[in-house]
Amino acid sequence: MMSRICEGRVVVVTGAGNGLGRAYALGLAVEGAKVVVNDLGVGRHGEDGTTKGAAEKVVDEIRAAGGEAVANTDDVTDWEAGRRIVQCALDSFGDLHAVVNNAGFVRDRMFVSCTPDEWDAVLRVHLRGHFCTSRHAVDYWRNQQKAGRPVDARIINTTSGAGLQGSIGQSAYSAAKGGIATLTLVQAAELARYGITANALAPSARTRMTESVFAEEMSRVEDGLDVYAPENTAPLIAWLCSAESSDVTGQVFELKGGRIFLSQGWTDSPDIDKKARWKADELGPVVRRLLNGRAPAKPVYGAA
């Protein structure tokens, strides 16, 4: 029998009832992981009750294929619910090795039209949602490490091209996803001492959150490959959850179809040093020299 890369690993996947999360859960199970399938059952805008039972359906699929999984319907934005999600893994499978933070929704709006409630809802599900479950998982792993037990744990976060370069009409979503990318860097730096890695993924996939805005682009098939199929991303998630990825941390991966690459993030340009304090009326040409000398940035999605 072919070895499976996640054999014996226990993984929580949030927002796993549909789209990318479902593909991750199914892919992890195929690779031998025992999966906690978390999904609250809300719609693409966070409306209640539109996909109730989604987590259970994914669990049924995994079990029908011979895998092990359990459903969980806790809200990732709730502090105590985050504790229950981690406890669900421990009660069901006796351990936890990875948390895949995938849950989220969008409320697309131009910045001039975005309301405080919409802004808060989007930041809450993405940023607080990435915090609660992972924070309780880290408590468990730290306690294991302090008790002298080896820890080989993973946090995998979900950012977006919108967070890395911005997206017209998605100011709240872009801000949240940019925050998640930076959170990943901090987690990687702080948690390495406990045997925990942290990486992020910016997938390009057809999901409920992308289908209304990018439907035409994301229906494209190239050379027989469905470029935007959520299943394309599942193997990278499985590898990142596995023991094989223990030396990789603090990275933001981008994946589109069969293309995989790393986001290189913010970095300094060559500098201009006057060796003295600048005067305001000197800075125009200096700033333009800096702008002209730097590598071009990716454009904001939707910008002309």
Side-chain angles (χ1 to χ4, degrees), residues 32-106:
K34 301 171 184 179
V35 186
V36 175
V37 179
N38 164 268
D39 199 278
L40 186 58
V42 302
R44 67 180 294 265
H45 301 297
E47 61 272 30
D48 290 337
T50 60
T51 57
K52 291 295 184 186
E56 290 82 357
K57 289 178 183 177
V58 175
V59 168
D60 289 344
E61 287 186 73
I62 290 172
R63 290 177 175 172
E68 296 184 60
V70 63
N72 175 277
T73 57
D74 278 302
D75 181 352
V76 296
T77 69
D78 181 89
W79 174 248
E80 289 302 322
R83 188 192 308 276
R84 292 194 296 270
I85 294 169
V86 170
Q87 194 62 48
C88 178
L90 302 179
D91 291 345
S92 301
F93 304 120
D95 208 346
L96 177 63
H97 301 96
V99 172
V100 180
N101 291 303
N102 172 73
F105 56 73
V106 293

Side-chain angles (χ1 to χ4, degrees), residues 8 26 39 56 86 107 188 210-211 236 269 272 286-287 294:
L26 294 172
D39 199 278
E56 290 82 357
V86 170
R107 294 186 181 176
T210 60
E211 63 185 359
L236 177 58
S269 73
I272 300 171
V286 172
V287 169
R294 72 174 182 182

